[in-house]
Amino acid sequence: MIPWLTPESHFPPLDTALLKPSGLLAAGGDLSPQRLIEAYRRGIFPWFNEGEPILWWSPDPRMVLFPGELKISRSLRKTLKKDNYEIRVDNAFSEVMQACAAPRGEQPGTWIHAEMISAYTALHEMGVAHSVEVWMRGELMGGLYGVAQGKVFFGESMFSRIPDTSKIAFVHLVKQLERWGFHMIDCQMKTTHLASLGGREISREEFGQKLKELVNYTERVEKWCFDHEPIE
């Protein structure tokens, strides 16, 4: 059994998370900015279907990317050097979330529903959640969003309307975070997409130890603006 959170209760220790389903830690609570920030600072994130109770997760192992380990394939590097796209940041946060929520292939939709969009938009308005966007000819063609705390960026979801646009957004994000001195990007669960870019798994214990230090750096609580240095 997992604990049911009340508005006043805190999250249980991470090592109490279930093995099956892997990482399920607690249920209930709310999606207030305060609750979400507490969750991220402890390595916990919400993931649940619309109409169901809020479920909180802390998987073991954890997929992360350290900025210095970013891998850019030869073909992607050529794409990055093209001048047919524009990177914008925090320009269309809700649109990015809605695009991430759109059906993909045979999937009817994702876990990004109205309640989640409202909650993360509130974080965005506080300068805590951010979007990185790829625009082509005035249209949003790809991007990602996530939450920043201290020197950690917690990636949530990404989308592409044409091939490689989510990768373009991700590479520009990683390069900027590296310039700002960020030490880690949380990718949550393992995917081949993120592994191809340099993501790897570490234990939940190691992830939690790194968070204790990294989330306590001074926050960039503001709308982000990238330097737009060329990708070499």
Side-chain angles (χ1 to χ4, degrees), residues 86-88 92-104 110-112 130-136 139-146 155-170 193-194:
E86 176 189 0
I87 296 293
R88 300 181 190 175
F93 184 86
S94 293
E95 287 180 56
V96 169
M97 285 201 71
Q98 289 163 3
C100 289
R104 305 182 188 190
T110 71
W111 48 271
I112 305 169
H130 303 277
S131 61
V132 182
E133 309 141 20
V134 179
W135 292 78
M136 294 180 173
E139 294 187 17
L140 179 63
M141 301 305 294
L144 60 87
Y145 76 96
E156 277 297 315
S157 188
M158 56 177 63
F159 78 98
S160 294
R161 288 179 173 150
I162 61 174
D164 286 342
T165 47
S166 66
K167 290 184 178 180
I168 291 171
F170 187 74
H193 180 75
L194 291 166

Side-chain angles (χ1 to χ4, degrees), residues 1-3 11-19 24-26 204:
M1 294 292 291
I2 57 172
F11 291 106
L14 300 188
D15 59 10
T16 64
L18 300 182
L19 296 177
L24 181 57
L25 181 69
R204 181 170 57 213

